[in-house]
Structures are given as structure tokens and as C-alpha cells.
């Protein structure tokens, strides 16, 4: 209704809602590529809202938040989500697979950044250092 505003969500739930929206957007993008369909921004927002409401602010997000607080942390981790998803083996498997993919991707990005910063500083990467040592040993043997 016009003029009626909903109470603001606590900041951890706002962050979780934003994460749900981002994830739904990524999944829709994957479906678009696989199935040759398009999702409007409004449909992605609607799917995100339905997903978040289906879980319920008193449901999954609240349980994640409580697990996080119980562990004396301020950040909900994938381990919290996995703990809640353990009742559904297929969901747990999917979450585990996606978190491993993200971790692997993050490691690759960090490695690329490290190589770029090393190259910009004129430093050698471990592979280049090994090649230089081998080159040095070869020239010493000659």
C-alpha cells in the first residue's frame, strides 16, 4: 500500500538479501547462456525477492545469523549455510561444489594480481626465479 513502509532489516540480513540477489543474477546469467533466453532486471529482482521470502527473514537468514553469532563472528560463512543445508544432500552437494568453485576462482585471481604486482615492481615470479637459478647453475658448470 502507498505510504506504508516495511521495517528495515538488520544489517546482516540486508547483506544476505543483497547476496541472494547477486547469486540469483549469476544463476539467471548461466541459464541465459545455456538456454538462450533472457531475464529482465525486474524478473531477476522478483525471483530474488521470492527466494528471500521463501526462506523467510525468520527462517534461513535468521538461522544463518544465529549460527554466526553463536560462533562469535559477525560474518555468515559458507560453513554456516552448509550446516543448515545438511538435511538436503543435493542442496549440500550443490553449495559445496559452488563454494569450491568460488574458492578456486578467488585463488586464481589472487595469483594473477600477485604476478601483476610482482612484474610491476620488477620482481621475479617463483617460476622465473627457478629458471634463473637453473640458468646460473648451468653457466657455473661451463
Amino acid at each position: 500500500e502507498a505510504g506504508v513502509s516495511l521495517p528495515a532489516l538488520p544489517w546482516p540480513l540486508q547483506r544476505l538479501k543483497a547476496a541472494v540477489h547477486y547469486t540469483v543474477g549469476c544463476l539467471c546469467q548461466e541459464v541465459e547462456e545455456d538456454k538462450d533466453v533472457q531475464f529482465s532486471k525486474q524478473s531477476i529482482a522478483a525471483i530474488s525477492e521470492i527466494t528471500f521470502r521463501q526462506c523467510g527473514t525468520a527462517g534461513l537468514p535468521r538461522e544463518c545469523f544465529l549460527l554466526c553469532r553463536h560462533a562469535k563472528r559477525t560474518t555468515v560463512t559458507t560453513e554456516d549455510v552448509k550446516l543448515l543445508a545438511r538435511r538436503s544432500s543435493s542442496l549440500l552437494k550443490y553449495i559445496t561444489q559452488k563454494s569450491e568453485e568460488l574458492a578456486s576462482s578467488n585463488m586464481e585471481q589472487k595469483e594473477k594480481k600477485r604476478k601483476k604486482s610482482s612484474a610491476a615492481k620488477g620482481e621475479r615470479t617463483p617460476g622465473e626465479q627457478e629458471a634463473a637459478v637453473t640458468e646460473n647453475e648451468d653457466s657455473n658448470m661451463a
Side-chain angles (χ1 to χ4, degrees), residues 76-93:
V76 174
T77 66
T78 54
E79 296 308 312
D80 299 325
V81 178
K82 286 180 192 176
L83 189 60
L84 291 176
R86 70 187 183 276
R87 293 182 197 116
S88 168
S89 59
S90 59
L91 179 59
L92 180 58
K93 181 180 175 182

Side-chain angles (χ1 to χ4, degrees), residues 4-142:
V4 177
S5 61
L6 296 173
L9 292 173
W11 69 267
L13 293 180
Q14 288 174 343
R15 289 183 65 191
L16 186 58
K17 189 173 186 177
V20 167
H21 181 75
Y22 174 77
T23 304
V24 166
C26 291
L27 291 171
C28 287
Q29 201 170 27
E30 285 180 25
V31 171
E32 285 178 343
E33 292 168 4
D34 289 346
K35 305 294 182 189
D36 195 30
V37 295
Q38 296 263 301
F39 289 90
S40 68
K41 289 181 181 181
Q42 294 85 0
S43 64
I44 293 171
I47 294 168
S48 299
E49 187 63 30
I50 290 167
T51 302
F52 190 76
R53 284 186 185 186
Q54 187 66 31
C55 294
T57 54
L60 184 63
R62 180 167 166 60
E63 289 179 42
C64 284
F65 176 66
L66 291 174
L67 284 170
C68 173
R69 275 193 30 198
H70 177 73
K72 296 181 179 27
R73 289 183 278 106
T74 58
T75 304
V76 174
T77 66
T78 54
E79 296 308 312
D80 299 325
V81 178
K82 286 180 192 176
L83 189 60
L84 291 176
R86 70 187 183 276
R87 293 182 197 116
S88 168
S89 59
S90 59
L91 179 59
L92 180 58
K93 181 180 175 182
Y94 180 80
I95 289 171
T96 301
Q97 176 189 358
K98 285 297 181 184
S99 68
E100 288 171 358
E101 288 173 11
L102 285 171
S104 176
S105 175
N106 288 342
M107 291 297 288
E108 289 173 8
Q109 288 177 353
K110 284 181 183 178
E111 182 66 24
K112 286 179 184 177
K113 284 182 183 178
R114 192 180 61 74
K115 284 182 181 179
K116 279 185 180 179
S117 68
S118 294
K121 293 177 186 176
E123 299 173 2
R124 292 181 175 168
T125 64
E128 292 172 337
Q129 289 173 348
E130 187 177 309
V133 168
T134 305
E135 228 174 76
N136 221 2
E137 289 171 352
D138 289 346
S139 64
N140 288 339
M141 289 184 184

